[in-house]
Amino acid sequence: MIQDFVRRLGIDHPLLLAPMAGETAKPALAIAVSNAGALGALGGAYMAPQALRDAIRAIRAGTQRPFHINLFSPQPWSADQTKMAAYRAELGKAHAELGLGAPDLPNTYQESFEAQFAVVLEEAPPVFSTTFGTLTPDQVAALKARNILVIGTATTVAEARMQEAAGVDAILAQGAEAGGHRGSFLDSVEHSLVGTMALVPQIVSAVKLPVIAAGGIGDGRGIAAALCLGASAVAMGTSFLLAEEMALSPGYKALLQSERAESTALTRVFSGRHARGIRNAFLDRMAGRDDIIPDFPVANAMSKAMRGAASKSGQTDYQSLWAGQAARLARPEPAAAIVARLLAEARQALQTRF
Ligand SMILES: Cc1cc2nc3c(=O)[nH]c(=O)nc-3n(C[C@H](O)[C@H](O)[C@H](O)COP(=O)(O)O)c2cc1C
């Protein structure tokens, strides 16, 4: 299964860069990973359609190898005015500390998925995935008609079955350890926190599709373990956050290499949707204030100015510091060296004999 899937993806190794939206979404890292024989990726969820098109074309210009584009499936949300007023007041305190004016209310909360999806169909990246939900049968058919391999994210066995029924080609099984936003869409996050070790073999047994393991896989030992659990490949996000090609703020990179990275938490405080990151002042201050945090993408749009200014000024207390539970295993290296090291470690771990 592993070799079949690797061949089908057109790559050399059963390793994918996990898609990461936001300041982490830059073509340079995707290009470097694809050129190293793994599957590069770009999280396009926050990109305007033209920026997404430009990024896909930039990746194509930088590599002949396959790559992967990811978007957020649209989900229901409401702009609750009472929550927004209370959340805005909390953001205001952070704005004052950062020397910003009072928080504005955004005109729009998110990019149009339909417009982004139209770009994906036109530009036809070799691999496409969504998180937060399933695609419609028409959308899956349109992707497949363009020879695009389709991946669906699942955080539970039930979600994996639903992705299979929706017609995807592979399942990305995202364990509770994963950094960034949770893909959960069927049940509450509290009821969808299955660890990678338990999730992967159960999804492998429940569906007929190749399964990509993700979440808390921090080095070659983790890759070896995931392959032993039946995964056909692994996807790693946090392990690439320290890559030289990753344009993260220096403060974020420094925290990832400190003991602070040993303590991550799931939080809605920055975006309105549960995501895992390194704990900081804003996260701790807002803990227990779930009742005032608006839905995703409302909170995400409202906190954007705070997060952006904090990132620029090096004030990590007000940034979303997305990271998975294996963050301390990440190392600052060029992406190609990370890929080579991970594969060498995995091969060594798989040779272990009892
Ligand atoms: C900074 C960051 C941003 C992320 N953005 C996305 C995204 O846009 N779409 C998505 O499907 N997953 C996103 N994720 C989750 C990853 O794709 C992947 O599931 C996760 O990184 C795997 O766990 P690990 O971080 O422990 O390797 C993000 C993760 C991180 C760390």
Side-chain angles (χ1 to χ4, degrees):
M1 196 73 148
I2 297 173
Q3 283 316 321
D4 288 351
F5 186 53
V6 164
R7 216 170 297 126
R8 197 156 157 222
L9 286 171
I11 56 180
D12 299 336
H13 314 293
L15 177 61
L16 289 73
L17 168 66
M20 295 185 274
E23 62 176 327
T24 42
K26 296 283 184 317
L29 182 64
I31 292 168
V33 171
S34 285
N35 281 339
L39 189 73
L42 183 108
Y46 300 132
M47 289 180 168
Q50 186 57 44
L52 179 60
R53 192 187 300 282
D54 292 347
I56 295 173
R57 291 186 178 179
I59 297 172
R60 275 225 160 87
T63 183
Q64 310 279 331
R65 307 300 306 265
F67 60 93
H68 165 198
I69 298 296
N70 168 270
L71 293 176
F72 293 165
S73 288
Q75 48 184 323
W77 54 274
S78 69
D80 181 312
Q81 299 298 317
T82 311
K83 287 185 181 181
M84 286 167 67
Y87 185 61
R88 194 178 176 197
E90 288 297 333
L91 290 174
K93 295 177 197 165
H95 273 227
E97 275 185 51
L98 290 163
L100 298 174
D104 290 328
L105 280 181
N107 297 325
T108 54
Y109 296 113
Q110 65 183 353
E111 299 296 334
S112 151
F113 176 80
E114 287 67 30
Q116 292 173 322
F117 189 72
V119 168
V120 169
L121 291 181
E122 283 163 21
E123 298 296 324
V127 180
F128 174 71
S129 72
T130 58
T131 187
F132 305 171
T134 55
L135 291 162
T136 65
D138 284 354
Q139 289 168 333
V140 173
L143 290 162
K144 289 189 174 176
R146 285 158 183 78
N147 268 332
I148 302 171
L149 189 136
V150 189
I151 300 173
T153 306
T155 63
T156 61
V157 176
E159 288 176 356
R161 282 200 202 95
M162 204 160 154
Q163 292 286 13
E164 184 173 47
V168 301
D169 298 300
I171 309 277
L172 185 139
Q174 186 193 40
E177 302 92 328
H181 283 102
R182 311 271 326 125
S184 310
F185 60 92
L186 273 186
D187 208 336
S188 67
V189 160
E190 292 76 13
H191 294 122
S192 310
L193 290 174
V194 188
T196 302
M197 187 89 164
L199 184 67
V200 170
Q202 294 189 82
I203 292 184
V204 168
S205 295
V207 302
K208 296 193 176 64
L209 300 171
V211 174
I212 303 155
I217 302 173
D219 62 15
R221 294 170 295 183
I223 296 175
L227 297 179
C228 288
L229 294 172
S232 293
V234 303
M236 299 169 71
T238 303
S239 299
F240 285 94
L241 290 178
L242 294 177
E244 264 174 28
E245 295 83 351
M246 172 63 87
L248 278 192
S249 70
Y252 189 170
K253 283 200 173 184
L255 276 185
L256 281 164
Q257 294 170 84
S258 76
E259 286 185 5
R260 290 263 306 274
E262 289 166 9
S263 173
T264 62
L266 272 180
T267 183
R268 288 182 63 239
V269 303
F270 290 105
S271 72
R273 232 194 117 91
H274 283 93
R276 184 177 295 286
I278 300 172
R279 289 174 52 197
N280 60 3
F282 190 69
L283 196 158
D284 285 344
R285 184 198 300 168
M286 296 287 285
R289 308 291 313 276
D290 212 52
D291 53 319
I292 68 157
I293 299 168
D295 288 354
F296 182 92
V298 177
N300 196 57
M302 288 180 70
S303 71
K304 191 174 171 191
M306 173 186 79
R307 291 181 285 113
S311 170
K312 273 205 193 95
S313 66
Q315 172 47 290
T316 52
D317 277 342
Y318 297 113
Q319 285 176 251
S320 48
L321 303 164
W322 301 147
Q325 287 182 331
R328 278 312 290 284
L329 296 174
R331 294 209 213 140
E333 290 169 322
I338 296 177
V339 169
R341 171 176 57 80
L342 292 171
L343 293 167
E345 289 168 353
R347 288 190 188 105
Q348 194 188 357
L350 284 167
Q351 276 165 14
T352 305
R353 295 277 181 268
F354 290 102

